[in-house]
Amino acid sequence: MKKGRKSVSPVRLYRHYISIIVRSKMLDKKSFFLYSAGMFLTSFCVFLSIFFMFQRFHQVKGFTFREVLLCYGIVLMGFTLAEIFGKGLERFPRMVRAGEFDRILLRPRGTILQILGSQFELGRASRCLHALIVFLYGISGSGLCWTWQKILIVTGMLAGCCTLFCGLFLMYAALSFFTLEGLEFMHIFTYGLNEHGAYPMGIYGKEVLWITTFIIPFAPVQYYPLLYLLDRRQEAYLAFMPLLAFLFLIPCILLWRLGVRHYQSSGS
């Protein structure tokens, strides 16, 4: 008897999805580079708004210009990575309305893997470059004494931001099973957090800080570890708070599975 084919690993399959999308986008290189430049300039405008504000005010609730840039660079890079890899989740409501999810259910692969592999926003990588430049610029004048521990904290903040936003994109996609439309208010928790996350969340008041701590755990991946990074607080547990973003994925995945069970074909 002939041996059956070996199943392709999810990682290898996802890489194959991405390679197809990248090759298709690079067919029109001029359009790709113009789009990338547009993304860079758009995010650069946010940097300019921060720059001009600090020309007027030397600090915001005790945070200096360079310290805010550290925060902004980490959040922007985390959000951009989530948007690059999770763009398929954001466009998922259109797939449900068109009945295209039926095709995904027929394939012998995980639904989330197929959705993630349906879109890949390589052009937004220019925002990662901008975020890296801003972050390095913030480091250059921050006066921080960098150690391996602080490098790990920054890495954890970046991974936590990316994971949190991916979870929010997954929640946004899961809710479309019940509404058949993308709920625009969810953009408050994705694009809104990205915009307001340019500054430490503590400057917005106790109510906002409470919401972003206990409901949407954004402050644990942004504000609290930043305080520890800047030596403003000494509690060691603050360095591990970005791990809460991975716990946030659990209810998001459960909501997705509930939505898949709830799904009924549109008949398109």
Side-chain angles (χ1 to χ4, degrees), residues 28-95:
D28 189 351
K29 293 183 175 60
K30 184 182 295 185
S31 175
F32 170 76
F33 287 114
L34 287 175
Y35 179 78
S36 299
M39 288 291 101
F40 185 91
L41 292 175
T42 300
S43 60
F44 184 70
C45 290
V46 179
F47 166 77
L48 287 179
S49 68
I50 298 174
F51 175 78
F52 288 127
M53 191 192 70
F54 274 93
Q55 294 301 303
R56 176 77 175 179
F57 307 100
H58 297 296
Q59 61 179 15
V60 177
K61 289 290 184 72
F63 291 95
T64 65
F65 176 56
R66 300 298 180 113
E67 291 172 344
V68 168
L69 289 185
L70 288 177
C71 176
Y72 170 59
I74 292 171
V75 172
L76 178 61
M77 190 176 299
F79 176 78
T80 303
L81 289 173
E83 200 174 25
I84 289 173
F85 292 99
K87 193 64 176 179
L89 294 170
E90 188 182 12
R91 296 182 178 179
F92 181 70
R94 304 177 193 173
M95 189 175 293

Side-chain angles (χ1 to χ4, degrees), residues 89 92 101 111-112 166-179 183 185-186 189 216 247-263:
L89 294 170
F92 181 70
F101 189 61
T111 54
I112 296 179
C166 284
L168 290 171
F169 283 135
L170 181 60
M171 183 180 293
Y172 172 77
L175 289 174
S176 65
F177 283 119
F178 306 96
T179 63
L183 298 178
F185 82 88
M186 284 295 296
F189 304 113
I216 304 295
L247 295 178
F248 180 72
L249 277 180
I250 296 175
C252 297
I253 293 173
L254 292 176
L255 180 61
W256 172 267
R257 291 181 176 179
L258 179 63
V260 171
R261 289 197 297 268
H262 180 271
Y263 174 72

Side-chain angles (χ1 to χ4, degrees), residues 110-241:
T111 54
I112 296 179
L113 174 66
Q114 294 184 65
I115 298 300
L116 291 176
S118 65
Q119 296 288 338
F120 184 74
E121 288 289 345
L122 182 62
R124 296 179 187 265
S126 59
R127 290 201 316 201
C128 278
L129 175 61
H130 172 254
L132 181 61
I133 293 173
V134 169
F135 179 75
L136 294 176
Y137 180 65
I139 286 177
S140 64
S142 63
L144 289 176
C145 181
W146 287 94
T147 62
W148 282 108
Q149 183 184 25
K150 292 190 175 182
I151 293 174
L152 289 175
I153 292 172
V154 171
T155 304
M157 292 173 66
L158 178 60
C161 280
C162 182
T163 302
L164 177 67
F165 283 118
C166 284
L168 290 171
F169 283 135
L170 181 60
M171 183 180 293
Y172 172 77
L175 289 174
S176 65
F177 283 119
F178 306 96
T179 63
L180 298 182
E181 295 284 345
L183 298 178
E184 296 300 322
F185 82 88
M186 284 295 296
H187 292 323
I188 298 174
F189 304 113
T190 52
Y191 295 98
L193 278 180
N194 175 49
E195 292 294 330
H196 290 83
Y199 299 90
M201 295 307 295
I203 73 170
Y204 298 112
K206 294 182 179 179
E207 293 80 6
V208 173
L209 185 60
W210 187 90
I211 292 172
T212 54
T213 298
F214 298 103
I215 299 179
I216 304 295
F218 182 67
V221 303
Q222 186 243 37
Y223 179 63
Y224 298 114
L226 180 68
L227 294 179
Y228 189 78
L229 181 69
L230 298 176
D231 297 321
R232 294 178 180 234
R233 290 182 61 175
Q234 303 300 322
E235 298 91 333
Y237 71 86
L238 297 177
F240 298 94
M241 290 192 77

